[in-house]
Every structure is written in C-alpha cells, then in structure tokens.
Amino acid sequence: MQENGTEVTAAGIARLAGVGRAAVSNWRRRHADFPKPVGGTETSPSFALAEVEDWLRVQGKLAEVPLRERVWQQVAGHPQGAVAALVYVGCALLLVHDRPTVWLELSAGSDDRLAELLPAPLDQVLTLRFGAIRKRAVDTPTADRLRVSAPLLRGAAELAAELDARKAYEFLLGRHLDANPRQYTLTPPGLAALMADLAGPAADVLDPACGTGALLRAVAVAQGSSSTADQHLHGQDSAPEQAALTALRLALHTRATVRTAAADTLREDAYGSLRADAVLCHPPFNERNWGHDELAYDPRWEYGFPARTESELAWVQHALARLKEGGIGVLLMPPAAASRRSGRRIRADLLRRGALRAVIALPPGAAPPHNLPLHLWVLRKPAVTGRRAQPEVLLADTGVFTADGRGGLDWGALRAAVLDAWRPFDRNGTAPERPGLSRSVPVIELLDDDVDLAPARHLPPSEAGGGVEQLGVVRDRLGETLRLTGRLTPPSADPRRPTRWPLTTIGELARGGALRLRTGGNGGHARVPVLTDHDVLAGTTASGSTLSGTALSGTTPSGSAPPGTLAESDEEAVLTEAGDVVVPVLGGGSIARVIDEADAGAALGRNLVLLRPDPAALDPWFLAGFLRGTANNRQASSYASTATRLDVRRLQLPRLPLEQQRAYGERFRALAEFEGALRLAGSLGEQLVRGMYDGLADGTVEPG
C-alpha cells in the first residue's frame, strides 16, 4: 500500500459492505486479521481502502465493490482532500469528453507514464475551454499531483464509460456536497430554475457568487442545447476551489463559453468591463466585512453608499453595474433587506429610477435558512436616456405555497404563479391584482419614511379560508369525517394474558428470502415524487420531488439537498410498490406504513427503510402492525447524544401461518384507517378554526 494511498473511514467501510457502523466496530474487535488503521485519530481511524476491499472479499462480505462506490471512496479518501480530487477528476473527464482518443492512448500505459504525459493535453483542453492560464480558475495539475491520483482518474474514466462524463462528474460532486452539508450554500433546483425564468433568455450571464454553479447551470438548461454554443457564462467566487468546480461542472454540461474567476467579488471584481444580459446571484447574507471601509468611493454605488450592515445592497448595486441597459438581475435576498431603516435611502432611489422592478416573497423552506421567507429582487438596468421610469413595482407573496412540514414545496405551482404575475407586468408595466398573491404597487405609495418593500404589507388579503363558501365546504367535510371516525372507532378490547409466540427478526426474514430490504437513496434521475420520512410520520402522500441536478451554490457554507428532495446521482432511486412497508429509522417513533396505490412509484427518501414482503410468506399489514409495537421498537433502537436510530434488521415478528397473519392484518388495516380519519379530522378542524378567525377579523364572516 502506498504511503499516500486512498483511505476510508469506518462509515465508508459500512457503506461498502451495506451494514451499519456498529457492525464494522464488531469486526474490528472480533477479527484479528481486520486491517489496521493507517491514519485518522484514535476515535476516528482511517484504513487503507485496498486492504479493506481485500478483507471484505475474503470474509465473503463483499463480492465486488461497486464501481461508483469505489471511485467515490477514492475521492473521499484522497490524500490531498476531496475537493482537490474532484478538480483532478473534472480535468480528466473534460479530456475524456472532448478528446476521448487522446485519453485512451495515454491511459494504455502505466500510472507513472499517465502522470508524466497527462499535463500537456490537459493544459490544451483547459486553455481551449477556459482561456489563458493567467485568467482562468482551473490550473493544470502537475505530474506529481497526478501520480497519486492515477488510480482515481482511471476509475473516473471507467465510470464515464458506463454513464458518460457529465453524469459521472455530477454523481461524484453530488456525493461530496451531500457528505459536507455545512460547507456549501444551497440553492435548490426549483429556485434556480425560477430565477433563470425570471431573467429570461440571455447570451451573456454573470453569477458573481457562483459557488458550485447551480444558477449558471439552470440558465444553460433554460436556453436549450441548440443555443448554448453562443452563450457566455461568467462566474466568480471568493473560494478558489468553488470557482474551479463551477468551471469544470459547466464545461461538462454545456458548449457555452465558460469563464470563472477566484477572487472576492466586491473587493476584486474580475469582470469590470462586462455588461451582461442577465445577472443571477445568491449572495452571502449579513456580512459585516464586505469591504465597507475600502470601497467608500467605488463607482458602483450609483444608488447610495451601503451601510456596513447592508452588504446585500452592495451586491444589488454590483449586479446593476454589470448589466447592460435593459438587462435583468435576479438576486436572492434576506427579508430584512426590504425593510431595514439603514437601507431605506438606497431602496427609495432604486424605486425612483425604475431599477427595482419586483420583490417576490418566497415560502419558508425555499432555501436556507429554511425558517425565513426569503425574497427575490428582480432588477432592470435603467436606460441612460431620459426615458421616464416605470411608475409601478410588482410585489408578490407566495407564502400560500408553504409546504406542510419539512419538505414538499410545490415548485411547479409556485413558478407558475410567480411567472403569471411577472410576465404581464414585464410586458406592460402593470398586472392584474390577485388578492393575497400579487399587486402592481405605484412607486409613490412606497416612498414614505420607511420605504418598506415587504410584499405582505402591501397586498390585499385573500378571502378567509378561500371564502365563506369554502368554509362551508370544510365544515361539511369535517362533519362527515367525524361521523366516519365514530364508525371506525375500534371495539372494546377483551383482556387476555400476553401471548408468547416464537419470534424471528427482519434480518432473518431478509436472509431467508421472505422479504427484501432496501434503504432510502442518495439520488436518481427519474422525475417522480419522493416519499420522505416526514411524509411517513405525518401520514401524507409523497411530497418531495427528485432533482434534475445537484443544485448547490453560493459563497458561504450551507447544506445538502433540501428535505423532500433527492440530489441527482447515477445511483438508481428505490421506487416503491403497492404492498411495500416503509419504516423511518430516525426519531424514535413506532411507525410503519403500508404503501398503497397513491404512493406506488414514488422514490424512497433518506432515513427510510423499505421492506418488500413475499406475498406467499408475509402479509404486509401484519408485518407493519407488529413493527409498530412500542416494545419492539425500544429493543431495536440505539441512542446517540442527539438522536435515536432504529436498526430495522433487529425488529421482531411472530412466526405465524399466513391465514393467521391475514386475520391480524385486517385488524391492523382497520386501525390504520381509523388513524387516518382522526388525522384528517384534526386537519379540517384546524383549517375551519383558522378560516373563522380570519373571516371574523377581516369582516367577511358575520358574528351572529
């Protein structure tokens, strides 16, 4: 084993073997020949990947490491770090993509030969795609750096042959971003697509806080493959590694001209002469050290010098400075930027001169921080001619699309509502009023002492609960549901002594073929709903959606794919079938759900385990019912300092004949129906109460 070879942690070993980390700890204690640590710490050791693979095969615990997992482990355990590994892989995949015959010739020899010969063709490809070396964010790797990476590069090329270069890179980048949720700022795909739609078709596009390229990637997708060759995508990020990842990701994704720069945008603008058709930006929020003291006389502050606490208004003016006349800018903003007193003079000037065209409030959960209803500001660079500024600005509030729980924003409906308001306003300078959703507000109404642009403060309220008629419908449905609940109430139980059945475990049933066990996935390509752990706990249908691509962007740390979504990868998503039983593994609840036709075909989300029983051996309702036993869950759970985790393989089940299983299954099915009716009654009751409060408060409901 090379001294600087790829290492893997205990968690990585668990993923390779498809077991829990506790099993890896047991192997280390029980097997004297288990590979010795080669790095890490005493509490978190790392092991040589090749030695681990050999040991697993000898023990019969692993027939062969899947190619995707092997390449990912090489990335994660790279001696120079995962980010450096992803840059090397991206460079090699770009060569594979653009000049496949050159790669085949170079890779035919030894690793040393590959490392010695690879820099020259890489430099040619990088120069062609990203410009001269002094201007680009991706440097050509040296032979020394490539030598240790040769096995990784060969594996990545093999993965590209299986998938294609773009999908291989998206898979590896997605795994890295998902494994490091606190290091990157998240721009969900739905939000990135909405921002690209608001900007409209554009040939020259800039993202001055590009992160890993989600917004620029969304623009490239929106333009379509036929037009991207004439497109120019510009990105800048203060983190050199993110600028490099963005460049490589975009180059593999599109034929557009790609330029990225690694520098602090506000202090060292790399595109001072650029006048773009569109600027999309998810800037860092609430920065105090944005350059206030150094940039007091910067010509970009055309609308006023931002206060130290108004870094977001510095980004707004930077975007306007980089737009051509009539160009559109779309920025994600914290809601405080619309109302802080320290920014009111700049907001007022943006309105007077027609530079700010729309403020759109998003639902909480649209992007991190998930507890805030973030805003989109739509800008248009005013003409320098004396043309009169537009007298109205569009204010919209999409809070009605708030997800019920942690996941499940309906991005399709949200995008449609926003674009239905924006497009007529963009054409005509005004748009029809939609109570509770959008309104064209005369600028003069907003130019008071506060210049408060929070949309909810200027929109007429929507009708309470959808109107008095709708409240009547809710009341009728509640009455029907309460009557149904009464009919479904279980009969009184006859006391009896506890029955001691012979027991088996889920693990034993899986080994015997009575059921199949699958774990919720890291991704997939299918555009299908995602069944989340929250959906299972709340008893709702699949609320999430698969993503068309990993969508992380920004210059500050953030998270992985939002709850209710799966990052795109080339791992196949686990799709549910009617009769499957789904069990959440986090949270300590005693929950198991039988999949019906409504959720069949949904992708299985994270923190869920799917059990697919053989109908000739197991009744699904019998299986789900006994898995919900409190004592059963308690004995199969492990406890960490912050969470409870369920080991589904340890859950127990009585050994009963199929006919007896079905008798229990029918009773468990009736209990589940009663539980669903109670849940619906609670939801309808809450909806009716809230609607009545709102109706009485706004005068649409009489008190008598």
Side-chain angles (χ1 to χ4, degrees):
M1 184 72 188
Q2 296 178 13
E3 180 182 349
N4 56 358
T6 301
E7 298 175 9
V8 62
T9 64
I13 297 172
R15 284 193 294 271
L16 286 171
V19 299
R21 291 184 64 177
V24 178
S25 298
N26 287 336
W27 293 344
R28 291 185 63 196
R29 287 195 299 268
R30 294 168 53 190
H31 297 275
D33 61 342
F34 191 87
K36 303 301 180 187
V38 296
T41 64
E42 185 175 346
T43 56
S44 182
S46 59
F47 306 83
L49 176 59
E51 294 178 6
V52 168
E53 290 180 69
D54 291 342
W55 187 87
L56 290 172
R57 289 192 189 95
V58 169
Q59 294 292 323
K61 302 181 186 298
L62 184 68
E64 183 60 48
V65 180
L67 176 60
R68 300 174 193 183
E69 188 65 34
R70 174 162 56 86
V71 177
W72 162 243
Q73 290 299 339
Q74 289 175 322
V75 169
H78 196 279
Q80 296 168 31
V83 173
L86 286 169
V87 171
Y88 302 154
V89 166
C91 292
L93 289 179
L94 194 56
L95 179 64
V96 171
H97 182 271
D98 288 3
R99 300 182 178 180
T101 56
V102 174
W103 168 263
L104 290 174
E105 180 183 345
L106 294 176
S107 60
S110 66
D111 286 355
D112 285 339
R113 177 180 179 274
L114 176 64
E116 289 296 331
L117 298 180
L118 195 52
L122 283 183
D123 189 65
Q124 293 172 5
V125 170
L126 295 176
T127 301
L128 181 64
R129 297 303 299 271
F130 304 134
I133 190 167
R134 65 181 180 277
K135 296 181 180 178
R136 70 181 189 232
V138 185
D139 293 329
T140 304
T142 64
D144 289 340
R145 291 181 176 273
L146 291 172
R147 187 168 287 107
V148 69
S149 306
L152 167 62
L153 302 185
R154 292 182 187 276
E158 188 179 348
L159 188 60
E162 180 181 300
L163 307 172
D164 75 33
R166 182 191 69 82
K167 292 178 181 178
Y169 198 62
E170 286 293 322
F171 164 71
L172 295 172
L173 178 60
R175 284 289 293 267
H176 170 68
L177 298 175
D178 197 45
N180 297 275
R182 298 184 179 182
Q183 294 181 21
Y184 301 91
T185 294
L186 176 68
T187 304
L191 177 56
L194 173 59
M195 293 173 70
D197 285 342
L198 288 168
D204 288 288
V205 186
L206 169 67
D207 182 350
C210 64
T212 55
L215 293 175
L216 292 174
R217 185 174 184 270
V219 171
V221 170
Q223 299 303 301
S225 58
S226 62
S227 61
T228 55
D230 299 325
Q231 199 173 46
H232 302 271
L233 305 177
H234 307 267
Q236 183 167 347
D237 199 278
S238 58
E241 65 275 8
Q242 294 198 49
L245 293 176
T246 292
L248 292 164
R249 186 184 191 191
L250 292 174
L252 286 165
H253 184 79
T254 176
R255 298 306 302 178
T257 300
V258 175
R259 297 289 184 267
T260 61
D264 184 310
T265 294
L266 295 181
R267 290 185 173 91
E268 301 177 56
D269 182 13
Y271 302 105
S273 60
L274 177 66
R275 296 299 176 264
D277 298 298
V279 174
L280 302 182
C281 186
H282 179 169
F285 297 160
N286 303 318
E287 280 200 334
R288 298 300 178 96
N289 184 29
W290 58 268
H292 177 271
D293 295 338
E294 306 101 296
L295 301 173
Y297 301 102
D298 195 290
R300 288 173 291 182
W301 316 143
E302 186 178 346
Y303 301 86
F305 181 40
R308 189 183 302 276
T309 56
E310 294 287 353
S311 63
E312 296 85 9
L313 294 182
W315 286 96
V316 165
Q317 295 191 74
H318 174 80
L320 286 165
R322 293 297 152 260
L323 285 168
K324 63 176 61 172
E325 287 186 23
I328 294 288
V330 185
L331 279 76
L332 186 66
M333 302 282 281
S339 55
R340 280 190 298 241
R341 289 188 62 81
S342 55
R344 65 189 187 278
R345 291 183 180 177
I346 294 176
R347 293 196 298 271
D349 207 27
L350 290 168
L351 290 172
R352 288 191 190 98
R353 298 172 61 181
L356 180 59
R357 304 303 299 127
V359 176
I360 301 163
L362 299 169
H370 289 290
N371 60 320
L372 292 179
L374 301 178
H375 290 178
L376 289 177
W377 284 25
V378 184
L379 313 168
R380 186 185 294 279
K381 180 66 174 283
V384 295
T385 61
R387 192 173 69 180
R388 182 167 166 266
Q390 294 292 332
E392 295 184 355
V393 64
L394 178 68
L395 300 183
D397 187 344
T398 61
V400 67
F401 297 100
T402 300
D404 182 14
R406 293 179 296 159
L409 267 183
D410 187 348
W411 279 107
L414 190 153
R415 282 174 67 189
V418 170
L419 295 175
D420 285 348
W422 165 251
R423 284 171 175 161
F425 178 83
D426 188 35
R427 286 192 304 268
N428 309 318
T430 188
E433 182 178 291
R434 303 169 68 185
L437 183 60
S438 64
R439 176 189 170 210
S440 295
V441 181
V443 167
I444 193 66
E445 279 191 27
L446 303 172
L447 295 177
D448 55 15
D449 289 342
D450 295 323
V451 197
D452 191 333
L453 306 182
R457 297 193 174 102
H458 303 281
L459 299 181
S462 56
E463 290 186 307
V468 177
E469 296 82 2
Q470 183 61 30
L471 285 179
V473 172
V474 173
R475 186 180 183 280
D476 291 344
R477 286 189 63 200
L478 176 60
E480 293 173 5
T481 305
L482 289 174
R483 288 190 290 273
L484 175 64
T485 304
R487 293 196 299 272
L488 294 175
T489 302
S492 57
D494 296 329
R496 56 179 289 184
R497 295 180 61 82
T499 303
R500 298 194 178 278
W501 292 291
L503 299 176
T504 185
T505 66
I506 294 298
E508 290 171 349
L509 290 170
R511 286 191 293 273
L515 57 79
R516 293 177 59 198
L517 188 148
R518 302 289 301 277
T519 302
N522 290 312
H525 288 294
R527 290 180 175 272
V528 296
V530 175
L531 184 69
T532 69
D533 56 341
H534 177 74
D535 297 330
V536 176
L537 293 168
T540 57
T541 57
S543 63
S545 60
T546 55
L547 307 186
S548 60
T550 305
L552 294 160
S553 173
T555 56
T556 54
S558 97
S560 58
T565 61
L566 296 181
E568 179 184 335
S569 78
D570 289 290
E571 295 182 45
E572 290 189 13
V574 178
L575 302 183
T576 60
E577 297 179 3
D580 290 343
V581 176
V582 176
V583 183
V585 296
L586 292 181
S590 301
I591 296 294
R593 173 168 165 182
V594 179
I595 297 297
D596 57 17
E597 294 295 339
D599 278 327
L604 192 69
R606 296 177 179 83
N607 303 320
L608 290 175
V609 170
L610 179 145
L611 306 175
R612 182 163 294 160
D614 178 353
L618 284 172
D619 178 82
W621 286 101
F622 163 80
L623 173 63
F626 275 96
L627 295 189
R628 291 190 61 170
T630 302
N632 199 5
N633 275 259
R634 187 180 299 122
Q635 64 84 26
S637 296
S638 58
Y639 305 93
S641 57
T642 58
T644 302
R645 187 172 187 89
L646 182 69
D647 184 350
V648 175
R649 291 177 179 273
R650 293 172 54 188
L651 287 169
Q652 297 177 336
L653 205 65
R655 294 182 182 272
L656 297 180
L658 191 56
E659 285 304 314
Q660 195 172 356
Q661 290 182 32
R662 288 171 178 158
Y664 275 97
E666 285 303 314
R667 189 66 182 272
F668 284 134
R669 186 199 294 265
L671 280 175
E673 191 176 356
F674 174 63
E675 182 181 37
L678 287 177
R679 188 180 287 114
L680 178 59
S683 175
L684 291 170
E686 183 179 341
Q687 186 178 346
L688 179 62
V689 169
R690 172 51 52 199
M692 290 296 295
Y693 269 112
D694 289 344
L696 288 166
D698 64 22
T700 58
V701 174
E702 291 287 343

